[in-house]
Amino acid sequence: MDLTFISGMFQKILTGLPLTLNLWLLSLAGGACLALTLNLMRQNRIGNAIAATYVFVFRGTPLLIQIFMIYYGLAGFGFIRQSFLWPFLRDPYWCGLLALILNDAAYSSEILRGGLRAVPKGAVEAGRVSGMGRATILRRITLPIATRQALPAYSNEVISMLKATALVSTITLMDMTGIARAAISETWRAVEILLCAAVIYLVISMLVTRASAWLEQRLSPWQFGRTTP
Amino acid sequence: MITASIGPALSLSGLRKSFGHNEVLRGIDLSARDGDVISMIGASGSGKSTLLRCIPMLEIPDAGTIAVGEDSLSPKGGRLTRTEDAIARRMRGHLGFVFQNFNLWPHRTVLENVIEAPLFVQGRSRAEAVDEALALLEKVGLAEKRDAWPAHLSGGQQQRVAIARALAQHPRAILFDEPTSALDPELVGEVLKVIRRLAEEGRTMLIVTHEMGFAREVSSRVVFLHQGRIEEDGTPAEVFGAPKSERARAFLASHFDRNR
Amino acid sequence: MGDIGLLGFGPDGWGLVLFRAGLMTLAVSVAAFLCGLVLGTLVAWARVGGNRVMRALAEAYTVVLRGVPDILVIYLFYFGGRQVVAAIGTALGFAGPFDISGFVAGMLAIGLISGASQSEVLRGAYQAVPRGTIEAGRVVGMGRFTLFRRVIAPQAMVTALPAMGNQWQSVIKESALVSVTGLVETMRQVSVAAGTTQEHFLFYAAGAVIYLIITTLSDQVFRLAERRSLRGHQGAGY
C-alpha cells in the first residue's frame, strides 16, 4: 500500500465533492417538487394517466439511457437548438441535473403516493367537518402524516440519488467519479483509486442513514395505526 | 350557550341519497330547534349514519335541502359547485361532528387536536384558542392528557378528546355518529356521561346511537329510521312507550331483549 | 427527425442487432440476478442464524454495497478483475495481454450489488414466517433442512415474491451500467448505433423501449408467479 499515493488521491477526488453534493441536493429538491406535482395531478383521470405513464417510463428504463437521451438525443432537434433552452441543454451539467431530477421525481412520487395512501381517511374527514379547505387539509393533515410515513423509504431514495450522481461522469462531468475515472486512465492504479472514491461515498451515505434514523425518531413520537381500525 | 335566533338550528327537507342502485335515503324531513336533543335509532343499514354524514356534506345528497342556521344548500346530482363548496365549509364551521372511530389526527397531541381548527380555519389567536381548549379538556376530564399522543389514549379518552375538538368549533349543533360503537363496553359509560352533561347544558345535538337506554334518558325527541324513511318521530315516551308502527315495535323489542 | 427505417430488420436496419443486444441484456441480468440470489440467501442466513463474526461480516457487506455507487463497483470488478487475472497469469508464466470479459465482471458486480438488497428482502421474509408454524414443524420431528424446505421456504417465498420482482427490475436497469466495460448489451449497442448514424434521439428512444418491454414483460411474469404462490393462502393474513 502506497500511503502517499492514497492520501493524494483522496484529496484529488474530494475536489469533486462540491459538484457531487450540488447535483445530489439540487436533484433531490427538484425531484421532490415534481413528485408533489405528480401526486396532485393524480386527482383527475387525465392527470392520473399522465402521472402513471411518467412513472412507468422513468422507472422502467435505466438512468444512464435517460442521461444520454437528454444530453445527446435532444441536441438532434433543430427547434431545441434554436430555443432559449439551448444554452442549458448543451451544457452537460444542466443535462445531468435535469435527468437526475426527472428520475428522482418518478421514484419519489411513488414513495409519496404510498405515504398518502397511508393517511387515515378519517383524519381527512375530521379536517373537512371542521371546515378546512383542500389546501389547509393538504398542508395541515395529509402532507405531514404522509411525509412522516414515507420517511424510511425516502431515506433510501436519498442514498440512491447520491449513488446516481456518479453516472453524470459518463457525460464528461468531473464529479468524484469523473475525477476517479480520469485518474485511472492516467495512472492505471484502478483498485486503489476506486476504493478511495468508494470510501467517500460510503461515509456520506452512512451519515445520511444516521441522520434519517434520528429524524424519524424526532418527527414521529406517536405510533400510527392504533387510532383508526 | 343557546344561540338565540329565529328559525331552527338545523333543518333537512326532502333528502335523498343513493349509492349505485341502493337508495339509502328516500326523502327525509327533519328539523331541530335550538336545545333539541334528537336521537336517531334504527337497524343497521336503515340510513341513519348516511343521514348524519349528509349534514356536513361528507356525503353529498342527490336531492333535498340542508339548512344550518342562516345557510342552506340544495346540491344537485351528488356534487358541489365551487360556491356551494364555500357555503358547505361555512356550514361545517357551525357544526361539530363526532365520529364513530374518533378520527383524531394521529400526528398532533391532544391539545393540538383541539386548537387545530380554531387556529387554522377560524383564525383565532393562539392564546385564546389554547385557553379555551384547556377549559374544554377540563370539561371532558382530560386536562392532564394535554400533551399526550392520541395513540397513547384509550378509546374512551380519544372519543372525549374528539368531543372537546367538536366543542371548540362553537357549534350551533353537534352531530354524533354512533359515538360509543367502537368502544369496549367498560369505556362506554365515560363517553355517555360527557354527552349527558352537554344535553343538560342545553346543547343542540343529533345522536345516532344503539344505546337505547341512553337515548330514552337524554333525548327530547327520538326518530326511528327504517329503509331510508322516518317511521316514528316523537318524545322518548311516545316512541319507546307506544310505537305506532309494527316495524318500530319489532325493532325495539329485539333491541331491548338483546341488551337486557 | 429520424428515419424509423433504421430500426428495421432489413440489411440497412439495426433491428436484428438491437434484438441481439436485448437478449444480451436479458442474459447478463439473469446471470447477475441468480448470483445475487445465491449471495443474498447466504448472507440472509448468516444474519439470521450465523455466529457473531458472520453476522458482523454480513451486515458490513450490506452497509457497504448500499452506500457505494453501482458504477464504482462495476469499474472495480472490471479493472480490478483485470489486475487480478494479469497477476495470476504472469505468476503462472503466461504472456499477456490479459483481459476479463465484461460479461463476467458485470455479472459478478451486479450480483454483488443485488445480493445485498436481496438478502434484506429474504431476511424480512424469513422473519415474517409465523414462529408457530416452525415450532409445529419441530414438534413433528423435522430436521433443520426439512424444516427450511417444507415449512420456512414456501411461506417466505410468498412474502418475498413482490419485493424480489422489484429486485429483478433493478438488476435489469443496473445491467445498462455494464456497457462501460464494452459488453455489447442494449445500452452499448444503442450508443454505437447512435454514434454511427448520428440519430441519437431515435436510438436512445429505441433503447428505452427495449428496456420497457423487458421490464413490463417480466413484471407480468412475476405477477403470475405471485398469484400462483398465493393459492391456498387466501385469508391467511399475508
Side-chain angles (χ1 to χ4, degrees):
Chain A
M1 276 265 187
D2 181 348
L3 279 181
T4 39
F5 176 78
I6 287 180
S7 79
M9 193 43 67
F10 263 116
Q11 282 168 19
K12 192 166 179 185
I13 292 174
L14 279 172
T15 59
L17 182 61
L19 180 58
T20 294
L21 293 179
N22 171 313
L23 286 165
W24 180 38
L25 298 175
L26 289 183
S27 64
L28 285 173
C33 295
L34 192 51
L36 181 59
T37 314
L38 284 167
N39 272 287
L40 293 177
M41 275 168 63
R42 282 186 178 267
Q43 285 170 349
N44 63 55
R45 205 178 323 152
I46 300 168
N48 187 43
I50 295 172
T53 312
Y54 177 91
V55 170
F56 170 72
V57 170
F58 278 89
R59 292 212 321 171
T61 55
L63 172 61
L64 196 58
I65 218 166
Q66 293 160 16
I67 293 177
F68 280 27
M69 182 104 111
I70 290 171
Y71 184 57
Y72 297 110
L74 291 184
F77 293 102
F79 69 87
I80 283 178
R81 280 200 305 272
Q82 252 97 68
S83 80
F84 71 97
L85 288 172
W86 184 237
F88 295 103
L89 289 176
R90 65 192 293 183
D91 182 339
Y93 169 79
W94 291 106
C95 288
L97 181 59
L98 179 62
L100 289 171
I101 287 176
L102 295 176
N103 187 267
D104 175 60
Y107 288 89
S108 298
S109 82
E110 284 299 281
I111 293 170
L112 181 58
R113 197 157 79 103
L116 288 171
R117 264 198 299 224
V119 175
K121 219 178 127 228
V124 175
E125 278 194 346
R128 287 175 62 199
V129 294
S130 37
M132 292 185 185
R134 276 183 176 200
T136 315
I137 290 179
L138 190 70
R139 192 168 58 86
R140 298 290 308 169
I141 300 173
T142 321
L143 278 184
I145 299 179
T147 48
R148 288 164 205 198
Q149 196 84 322
L151 203 62
Y154 189 65
S155 83
N156 284 334
E157 174 60 16
V158 169
I159 292 173
S160 290
M161 283 313 287
L162 171 66
K163 293 158 57 172
T165 57
L167 293 191
V168 298
S169 61
T170 57
I171 50 170
T172 73
L173 284 179
M174 290 310 244
D175 70 324
M176 294 201 295
T177 303
I179 292 173
R181 201 51 255 268
I184 291 172
S185 49
E186 282 163 22
T187 65
W188 285 100
R189 297 171 75 167
V191 175
E192 289 107 308
I193 296 171
L194 290 167
L195 287 177
C196 287
V199 165
I200 302 172
Y201 282 105
L202 186 59
V203 168
I204 303 174
S205 77
M206 283 165 81
L207 288 177
V208 174
T209 309
R210 277 286 171 84
S212 82
W214 175 82
L215 199 65
E216 237 169 89
Q217 281 204 326
R218 271 210 54 149
L219 285 183
S220 315
W222 71 90
Q223 298 158 352
F224 275 96
R226 256 182 62 193
T227 39
T228 44
Chain B
M1 261 307 152
I2 299 167
T3 327
S5 80
I6 323 290
L10 190 73
S11 89
L12 319 173
S13 64
L15 216 57
R16 289 180 175 277
K17 174 76 184 170
S18 304
F19 294 108
H21 292 298
N22 184 16
E23 201 176 7
V24 183
L25 299 178
R26 309 171 182 227
I28 298 278
D29 300 292
L30 183 71
S31 77
R33 285 164 304 155
D34 288 306
D36 274 353
V37 176
I38 303 180
S39 288
M40 292 199 281
I41 59 173
S44 55
S46 60
K48 49 195 195 315
S49 275
T50 306
L51 172 56
L52 204 71
R53 288 169 60 83
C54 277
I55 300 170
M57 301 282 161
L58 284 178
E59 308 290 350
I60 298 163
D62 302 326
T65 301
I66 292 170
V68 177
E70 281 75 46
D71 295 308
S72 83
L73 269 181
S74 312
K76 296 274 177 293
R79 54 191 317 177
L80 295 180
T81 65
R82 201 172 273 266
T83 36
E84 284 173 334
D85 195 57
I87 297 172
R89 277 174 58 193
R90 205 163 60 219
M91 280 168 45
R92 288 175 192 143
H94 297 301
L95 294 169
F97 198 100
V98 177
F99 296 88
Q100 182 176 346
N101 295 316
F102 337 126
N103 292 353
L104 292 183
W105 293 304
H107 58 308
R108 312 234 179 262
T109 63
V110 165
L111 180 66
E112 286 166 350
N113 261 279
V114 181
I115 62 175
E116 179 75 12
L119 288 185
F120 292 92
V121 180
Q122 294 153 18
R124 283 190 241 159
S125 81
R126 174 169 281 271
E128 182 199 327
V130 169
D131 280 350
E132 193 191 333
L134 289 176
L136 289 171
L137 287 174
E138 185 80 47
K139 185 173 188 161
V140 298
L142 287 170
E144 80 283 6
K145 295 284 185 189
R146 52 176 288 182
D147 295 321
W149 298 104
H152 297 157
L153 301 181
S154 74
Q157 291 172 327
Q158 290 191 51
Q159 193 61 300
R160 279 144 66 200
V161 175
I163 293 172
R165 181 172 71 175
L167 290 172
Q169 298 270 89
H170 295 173
R172 180 117 182 234
I174 311 171
L175 316 177
F176 292 86
D177 186 8
E178 305 197 22
T180 58
S181 295
L183 297 178
D184 294 334
E186 72 271 19
L187 301 177
V188 169
E190 62 187 68
V191 172
L192 293 184
K193 201 172 108 196
V194 171
I195 302 176
R196 191 176 293 127
R197 269 192 49 202
L198 297 177
E200 285 159 11
E201 283 175 10
R203 300 264 184 183
T204 313
M205 302 196 282
L206 222 61
I207 308 170
V208 170
T209 185
H210 289 294
E211 299 285 335
M212 296 303 155
F214 174 76
R216 182 174 212 159
E217 179 196 336
V218 302
S219 315
S220 56
R221 241 169 91 196
V222 176
V223 169
F224 171 70
L225 256 77
H226 180 74
Q227 291 185 351
R229 289 201 182 84
I230 293 181
E231 289 247 330
E232 299 269 343
D233 183 349
T235 64
E238 287 164 358
V239 175
F240 289 113
K244 282 169 261 166
S245 81
E246 189 55 45
R247 279 189 284 262
R249 224 167 305 163
F251 171 78
L252 289 170
S254 73
H255 236 84
F256 279 106
D257 278 357
R258 235 187 298 144
N259 285 2
R260 305 281 154 238
Chain C
M1 66 160 273
D3 178 5
I4 209 84
L6 283 172
L7 299 178
F9 283 83
D12 298 331
W14 291 77
L16 196 62
V17 178
L18 291 182
F19 181 72
R20 260 192 254 131
L23 289 183
M24 182 54 94
T25 289
L26 212 51
V28 76
S29 299
V30 169
F33 185 76
L34 293 179
C35 259
L37 185 61
V38 172
L39 203 56
T41 312
L42 289 176
V43 170
W45 176 67
R47 288 193 73 173
V48 172
N51 58 35
R52 256 218 332 246
V53 181
M54 283 162 75
R55 274 212 306 273
L57 279 176
E59 200 175 327
Y61 159 68
T62 45
V63 168
V64 168
L65 268 295
R66 199 175 110 97
V68 176
D70 306 342
I71 196 161
L72 283 186
V73 179
I74 290 172
Y75 281 141
L76 203 56
F77 266 80
Y78 185 57
F79 292 116
R82 259 206 312 222
Q83 281 182 8
V84 171
V85 172
I88 294 172
T90 319
L92 291 178
F94 292 109
F98 299 100
D99 206 348
I100 176 175
S101 100
F103 189 94
V104 173
M107 173 187 83
L108 292 176
I110 293 178
L112 193 72
I113 296 163
S114 179
S117 31
Q118 288 193 45
S119 79
E120 296 283 291
V121 171
L122 294 172
R123 190 167 68 108
Y126 169 77
Q127 281 164 345
V129 173
R131 297 297 93 177
T133 63
I134 298 177
E135 283 170 6
R138 279 218 187 95
V139 295
V140 297
M142 288 186 184
R144 276 176 79 164
F145 181 70
T146 318
L147 201 59
F148 179 78
R149 197 168 59 89
R150 302 295 310 166
V151 178
I152 298 172
Q155 295 189 77
M157 229 178 67
V158 177
T159 348
L161 250 176
M164 285 311 247
N166 289 338
Q167 296 303 321
W168 163 246
Q169 303 271 348
S170 302
V171 166
I172 296 168
K173 285 174 273 172
E174 277 154 16
S175 77
L177 300 184
V178 184
S179 60
V180 300
T181 68
L183 178 74
V184 186
E185 43 65 78
T186 309
M187 184 68 217
R188 178 77 188 166
Q189 189 63 72
V190 292
S191 296
V192 170
T196 313
T197 61
Q198 287 301 305
E199 294 284 0
H200 290 281
F201 191 85
L202 178 73
F203 277 100
Y204 287 123
V209 169
I210 293 175
Y211 282 107
L212 281 178
I213 291 173
I214 298 178
T215 49
T216 313
L217 285 183
S218 42
D219 191 41
Q220 296 297 323
V221 173
F222 265 92
R223 267 184 211 193
L224 201 73
E226 222 174 289
R227 229 172 305 147
R228 287 239 163 149
S229 73
L230 276 174
R231 274 185 199 164
H233 281 276
Q234 270 96 349
Y238 294 101

